[in-house]
Amino acid sequence: MTSQPAPLLYAELLLHIRQISLAISLGSASDASTRVVVAADGENVELNHHGQSHTLRLPSMVALSGAILPIQRPGASTLSWRLPLGQATNADASSADSSTWTATDLKAGSQVACRQCHGVVVNQGVVKVWKDLPSENWAEMMEFWHCHKPDDHDHDHGDYHHHDKANGVATTGQNAKADDTSLAARGYGASSVISAQQSVGFVDLTTLLFVEWDCSNIIYSLSTPEHGSSDRQTVASDESSSQIRSLNVFCPSCQAQLGFYNFRTAAVTLLKWQISCNSVSNLSPGLEECLAATLISTIARSGSSKSLLLPITETIATTEEDGVGKDKVVHIWVLNSGIVYASSATEAAATRPGAGRGISAIKLLYRLVPREEADRMLDSLTGDAQEVNIPVKAIKEVLQHLDRSNCLLPTTERVFKEWKVGLLRR
């Protein structure tokens, strides 16, 4: 006799309407033995079905303490309810603190090491101060934010805002416009970049950035670690590398890819989910959290909830790989950037420090699209998809994670038209 699959219980906090959505996939038809009860403390629900008992801790306390939940459709294999929250609930998942490290979270002087083998990359005491990098489009925004650029006090704001340094006479500003080269040198314009500084660790949503000579015990390579060297000049002198913008950076001990060396910024960029560092929170962000933070930032910056995951850089290792990242692109559509959920299919909430009652996450739709279609979406003047860049290997890991998270959801909530539904932990 074939055994029936275990029931799946899933609860999602709907804070704005002060309810919890509870769904149960039984795996078989409900009958007289099926009974769902809210525990007396209002924090758990218990399912009894075919002589077996299953319990799920809810993401928040509900008001129906001790209540037996009615089964609206006897014989159905999927059950669902909306449970009102208890009076004490006031948490907001959308405003939850980021777990992806900020400058204030990292301890000065901390060493940076490979997370897989603990090989030291930046020695203890080298980094004297941590600084947060500005948002991705900081250089372009300076053109909009600054009414007066340096040495540019004579300019035209339509017909009303004119200045003349000599005698106050209104001018068009054409004769006193600052030299473009001078402005670019002071950080104005899209070509501006942040340069690495010795003894300073720069922090953004997904990476840490260091000057090259602050790093040690790393291998530079155009492709794989076997073809790399600890001497960057040797690798970069290859004639075939003239069109390559970055080098891959590997750990010499375990050969894990730690990040990249960027020729434009002349800096080593280390991926947060590949390294460890002493932090105030004692948390180490994973790929999920880093991508979730990036998607939230992209929505805040562009207003678009749709993104395309493309390779972070053009190196030989990325341009020669087939499959996801080259022929296929992951298309993401964020539905809710701040949910808290609990699922009987995972014990992550119990094993993750500080996870509390539920798991903070992003709920999204995802699908694979051909690279040609992705390029058309990005090139279209009316397209609303934003480009998000992470390494090819990370893109494949993201897709695997989303497929796993899809199994945490009730069977009736896993697909929407041509999209799959997934979760990314914040």
Side-chain angles (χ1 to χ4, degrees), residues 329-355:
V329 175
V330 181
H331 189 197
I332 287 176
W333 185 356
V334 175
L335 299 177
N336 191 332
S337 62
I339 71 165
V340 177
Y341 76 92
S343 174
S344 61
T346 178
E347 296 180 354
T351 58
R352 177 177 168 81

Side-chain angles (χ1 to χ4, degrees), residues 49-273:
H49 180 63
H50 289 178
Q52 295 184 338
S53 178
H54 307 270
T55 301
L56 176 69
R57 189 181 187 193
L58 298 171
S60 184
M61 183 184 297
V62 296
L64 302 176
S65 300
I68 300 176
L69 301 182
I71 297 177
Q72 303 292 345
R73 295 183 298 121
S77 60
T78 300
L79 311 175
S80 62
W81 300 268
R82 291 288 180 90
L83 310 178
L85 292 182
Q87 295 298 320
T89 302
N90 56 11
D92 187 355
S94 64
S95 62
D97 292 337
S98 172
S99 59
T100 62
W101 289 340
T102 61
T104 56
D105 191 38
L106 297 176
K107 297 179 180 179
S110 300
Q111 74 173 21
V112 180
C114 171
R115 190 176 296 187
Q116 184 168 314
C117 72
H118 309 295
V120 177
V121 179
V122 179
N123 289 315
Q124 186 170 353
V126 169
V127 178
K128 306 301 182 185
V129 63
W130 296 96
K131 295 182 179 181
D132 284 318
L133 285 170
S135 62
E136 184 178 349
N137 290 28
W138 67 273
E140 292 92 328
M141 290 299 99
M142 288 183 72
E143 295 288 345
F144 298 98
W145 291 336
H146 286 208
C147 173
H148 297 277
K149 301 183 184 69
D151 302 327
D152 185 19
H153 296 283
D154 298 345
H155 62 271
D156 185 9
H157 282 270
D159 296 322
Y160 304 100
H161 189 42
H162 304 276
H163 305 290
D164 181 83
K165 289 184 290 186
N167 53 26
V169 178
T171 68
T172 62
Q174 298 297 318
N175 297 326
K177 189 175 183 179
D179 178 73
D180 290 341
T181 303
S182 172
L183 292 178
R186 277 175 274 185
Y188 289 84
S191 62
S192 300
V193 296
I194 298 241
S195 298
Q197 300 174 19
Q198 190 169 8
S199 300
V200 177
F202 287 104
V203 185
D204 73 1
L205 290 174
T206 60
T207 62
L208 303 181
L209 184 144
F210 304 94
V211 70
E212 182 179 4
W213 48 82
D214 279 351
C215 301
S216 60
N217 198 33
I218 57 176
I219 290 178
Y220 301 92
S221 176
L222 288 166
S223 54
T224 61
E226 294 82 3
H227 299 91
S229 170
S230 58
D231 184 359
R232 180 184 61 80
Q233 299 292 343
T234 301
V235 177
S237 64
D238 191 336
E239 291 183 3
S240 64
S241 67
S242 58
Q243 301 302 316
I244 302 298
R245 295 181 296 178
S246 300
L247 297 175
N248 297 316
V249 170
F250 296 94
C251 172
S253 300
C254 64
Q255 298 190 337
Q257 183 172 2
L258 303 179
F260 302 91
Y261 175 83
N262 188 290
F263 288 105
R264 187 184 181 201
T265 60
V268 175
T269 299
L270 302 180
L271 304 168
K272 285 183 177 179
W273 61 89

